Amino acid sequence: SFELTQPPSVSVSPGQTARITCSGDVLPKSYGHWYQQKPGQAPVLVIYKDTERPSGIPERFSGSTSGTVLTLVISGVRAEDEADYYCQSADDGVRKFGGGTRLTVL
Amino acid sequence: QAHLVESGGGVVQPGRSLTLSCAASGFPFRSYAMHWVRQAPGKGLDWVAVISYNGGQTYYDDSVKGRFTVSRDNSRDVLYLQMTRLRPEDTAVYFCARTSDHGASDYWGRGTLVTVTS
């Protein structure tokens, strides 16, 4: 089994850049994905394959990876970006989510 | 536009069984792997199981292995999760999700709530 570790919370002011990290030993060999979840709603995929952005996701969302750390970057944060963010990866067919990061827009 | 609708949730006693369904529409269901993901009240996302496009391969989280079984009926575009020997810690909203070749889940249902309590 493997683990993905995220900080519980990140806070930024509107217009600033938010960076949410996800660390795990599996990340150098498996793709990571990011999901946004707002209260009472299903998750929404915002980044897949470490750095790819699905159609319909604003350009201010981007992803990067370096070794065992995956990073979700939200540039020019807006109030509507306040949500929980989860990373996900896989190893030998088994998937895992990180514990989630609550993004607060001050 | 892909559409997924879960059903079958409810209140069940510990040790009993329950089967969830996920009806798919708007895409070629038989071409996609499908996942079950759950979320306990106030907690994070918790991956449960995955089934390949043709049902030939399945994988489970250790917490449900041997108790839960994922299956699919590609002739009816339906995904199932048979849950046996339920425990209070299985209480959660259960989501089904479509997974594309890149491994990420790009469409999700709205979930169905399972409550395990005596």
Side-chain angles (χ1 to χ4, degrees):
Chain A
S1 186
F2 66 97
E3 300 291 331
L4 298 172
T5 302
Q6 298 180 235
S9 63
V10 168
S11 299
V12 295
S13 299
Q16 289 190 326
T17 297
R19 292 179 174 82
I20 300 173
T21 58
C22 172
S23 61
D25 291 340
V26 71
L27 294 173
K29 61 175 181 174
S30 295
Y31 285 123
H33 318 293
W34 290 98
Y35 302 88
Q36 175 195 69
Q37 188 183 33
K38 296 181 179 179
Q41 298 183 18
V44 173
L45 179 67
V46 294
I47 294 290
Y48 66 96
K49 284 176 66 178
D50 296 343
T51 61
E52 301 296 317
R53 189 174 56 249
S55 60
I57 300 300
E59 291 185 8
R60 64 180 182 275
F61 288 85
S62 63
S64 67
T65 183
S66 178
T68 61
V69 180
L70 196 69
T71 303
L72 173 68
V73 179
I74 310 172
S75 305
V77 167
R78 300 183 179 184
E80 67 212 52
D81 299 330
E82 186 163 283
D84 294 326
Y85 291 84
Y86 297 89
C87 61
Q88 182 197 33
S89 191
D91 187 26
D92 285 340
V94 173
R95 276 70 167 175
K96 289 282 188 183
F97 288 96
T101 299
R102 173 69 54 87
L103 176 65
T104 300
V105 182
L106 301 170
Chain B
Q1 181 81 348
H3 194 52
L4 299 168
V5 179
E6 303 90 341
S7 61
V11 180
V12 61
Q13 292 179 326
R16 304 298 290 266
S17 300
L18 198 65
T19 296
L20 305 182
S21 299
C22 169
S25 60
F27 69 100
F29 178 71
R30 65 186 64 216
S31 297
Y32 289 85
M34 297 292 296
H35 290 256
W36 285 102
V37 175
R38 67 185 178 182
Q39 187 169 35
K43 302 296 184 181
L45 298 176
D46 189 23
W47 178 78
V48 174
V50 61
I51 186 167
S52 62
Y53 71 100
N54 62 359
Q57 286 184 304
T58 58
Y59 296 92
Y60 299 90
D61 184 74
D62 286 344
S63 64
V64 307
K65 199 175 296 182
R67 299 190 300 125
F68 290 11
T69 302
V70 59
S71 61
R72 63 193 298 161
D73 184 343
N74 283 348
S75 68
R76 300 179 60 201
D77 292 355
V78 180
L79 174 73
Y80 299 101
L81 184 68
Q82 292 177 278
M83 304 184 293
T84 66
R85 291 181 280 142
L86 282 162
R87 305 167 179 169
E89 55 265 37
D90 295 319
T91 294
V93 173
Y94 284 73
F95 298 98
C96 63
R98 185 185 90 165
T99 297
S100 292
D101 290 343
H102 45 60
S105 293
D106 54 0
Y107 285 94
W108 296 65
R110 299 187 69 166
T112 186
L113 176 62
V114 173
T115 303
V116 184
T117 180
S118 53

